[in-house]
């Protein structure tokens, strides 16, 4: 589904070149649940930016179903991005809108009909456990609830792929486990889930495939991996 082929990404700082990724190759299959782990600066967020074509590789190719996403025309790139839902650590919620309105807003952007919005929003809020909070504002939610809302916003347009960048970084262990249960539920709906994290407990409990990054290189790719850093 997604393939990195000999990908390198270089950033420049103070006249020096820094490899964020150095000649990495891997594949992510359809309906796979994979964790990509590494310490801060290992290259996890760079992988996210390359997948959503926010940045381009300096070497190599990033493919989606065999197509180089960085060669897509703007209209096709926009269509491709709709296949991906991204969840960030800082939630990126609209503070002036309720839970329900935060999710509706995403559907309005993509041109969904009133019927689709009325049908789909409650279903997604049920999946993430926020159906009883639909009229609350983000300021009235706990950290775990805010992250659930972020997941709902990423899921509402029915993407094929969910990418979560450190989704439990601000949460305690109880809320962390609840969030991971939601990702498991999403995966069981047929979605491909890519989890970027440095949370040892999450990775060890999942017992799923783990790619480990260190200084921009892949040092391990295990089907039933554990956190080894």
């Amino acid at each position: 589904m997604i393939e990195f082929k000999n990908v390198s990404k270089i950033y420049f700082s103070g006249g020096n070149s820094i490899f964020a990724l150095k000649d990495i190759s891997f594949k992510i299959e359809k309906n796979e649940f994979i964790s990509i782990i590494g310490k801060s600066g290992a290259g996890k967020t760079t992988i996210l930016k390359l997948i959503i074509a926010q940045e381009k590789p300096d070497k190599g190719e990033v493919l989606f179903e065999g197509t180089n996403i960085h060669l897509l025309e703007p209209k096709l790139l926009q269509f491709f991005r709709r296949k991906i839902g991204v969840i960030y650590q800082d939630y990126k919620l609209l503070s002036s809108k309720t839970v329900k309105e935060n999710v509706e807003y995403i559907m309005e952007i993509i041109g969904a009909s009133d019927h689709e919005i009325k049908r789909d929003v409650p279903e997604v809020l049920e999946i993430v456990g926020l159906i009883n909070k639909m009229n609350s504002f983000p300021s009235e939610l706990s950290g775990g609830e805010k992250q659930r809302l972020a997941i709902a916003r990423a899921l509402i347009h029915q993407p094929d792929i969910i990418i979560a960048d450190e989704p439990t970084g601000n949460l305690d262990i109880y809320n962390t486990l609840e969030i991971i249960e939601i990702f498991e539920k999403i995966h069981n709906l047929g979605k491909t889930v890519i989890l970027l994290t440095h949370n040892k407990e999450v990775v060890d409990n999942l017992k799923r495939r783990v790619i480990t990054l260190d200084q921009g290189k892949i040092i391990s790719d295990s089907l039933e991996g554990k956190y080894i850093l």
Side-chain angles (χ1 to χ4, degrees), residues 47-60:
I47 285 177
L48 165 60
K49 291 179 178 179
L50 291 173
I51 291 176
I52 64 175
Q54 183 176 334
E55 295 191 7
K56 294 183 178 181
D58 293 294
K59 176 190 172 187

Side-chain angles (χ1 to χ4, degrees), residues 5 15 20 63 78 110 112 119 131 153 166 170 175 194 196:
K5 295 180 67 175
L63 308 177
Q78 183 179 8
I110 65 174
R119 178 194 65 196
I131 194 67
R153 282 165 53 92
E166 300 288 3
N170 295 324
N175 282 299
I194 304 171
L196 312 177

Side-chain angles (χ1 to χ4, degrees), residues 122-171:
E123 290 183 2
V124 168
L125 291 178
E126 185 70 43
I127 290 172
V128 301
L130 285 179
I131 194 67
N132 294 326
K133 295 277 188 175
M134 66 166 56
N135 295 317
S136 299
F137 288 91
S139 61
E140 300 172 315
L141 304 179
S142 68
E145 289 169 339
K146 289 177 182 177
Q147 191 58 279
R148 292 186 199 183
L149 178 52
I151 294 171
R153 282 165 53 92
L155 188 62
I156 190 60
H157 64 286
Q158 301 182 17
D160 297 328
I161 304 164
I162 292 288
I163 307 176
D165 189 9
E166 300 288 3
T168 62
N170 295 324
L171 305 180

Side-chain angles (χ1 to χ4, degrees), residues 34-193:
I34 180 172
S35 297
I36 299 177
I37 70 172
K39 298 175 182 178
S40 179
K44 302 187 301 296
T45 300
T46 300
I47 285 177
L48 165 60
K49 291 179 178 179
L50 291 173
I51 291 176
I52 64 175
Q54 183 176 334
E55 295 191 7
K56 294 183 178 181
D58 293 294
K59 176 190 172 187
E61 298 177 318
V62 181
L63 308 177
F64 175 74
E65 296 180 346
T67 298
N68 187 332
I69 62 175
H70 296 99
L71 298 180
L72 292 174
E73 296 178 358
K75 285 186 178 180
L76 291 176
L77 180 58
Q78 183 179 8
F79 178 76
F80 162 72
R81 283 175 172 160
R82 287 191 178 182
K83 294 178 177 289
I84 302 175
V86 182
I87 300 148
Y88 297 95
Q89 183 176 352
D90 60 355
Y91 313 131
K92 298 189 182 301
L93 306 176
L94 301 173
S95 60
S96 63
K97 294 183 180 293
T98 65
V99 166
K100 180 171 173 281
E101 291 168 343
N102 258 275
V103 182
E104 288 175 340
Y105 179 73
I106 302 300
M107 295 201 74
E108 291 166 359
I109 289 176
I110 65 174
S113 68
D114 291 343
H115 170 73
E116 289 171 325
I117 293 172
K118 186 176 180 180
R119 178 194 65 196
D120 294 350
V121 170
E123 290 183 2
V124 168
L125 291 178
E126 185 70 43
I127 290 172
V128 301
L130 285 179
I131 194 67
N132 294 326
K133 295 277 188 175
M134 66 166 56
N135 295 317
S136 299
F137 288 91
S139 61
E140 300 172 315
L141 304 179
S142 68
E145 289 169 339
K146 289 177 182 177
Q147 191 58 279
R148 292 186 199 183
L149 178 52
I151 294 171
R153 282 165 53 92
L155 188 62
I156 190 60
H157 64 286
Q158 301 182 17
D160 297 328
I161 304 164
I162 292 288
I163 307 176
D165 189 9
E166 300 288 3
T168 62
N170 295 324
L171 305 180
D172 59 29
I173 186 61
Y174 175 78
N175 282 299
T176 291
L177 294 176
E178 284 198 335
I179 293 299
I180 296 306
E181 285 181 5
I182 292 173
F183 285 128
E184 291 272 24
K185 187 186 298 185
I186 292 170
H187 176 249
N188 290 334
L189 292 174
K191 309 297 183 184
T192 301
V193 179

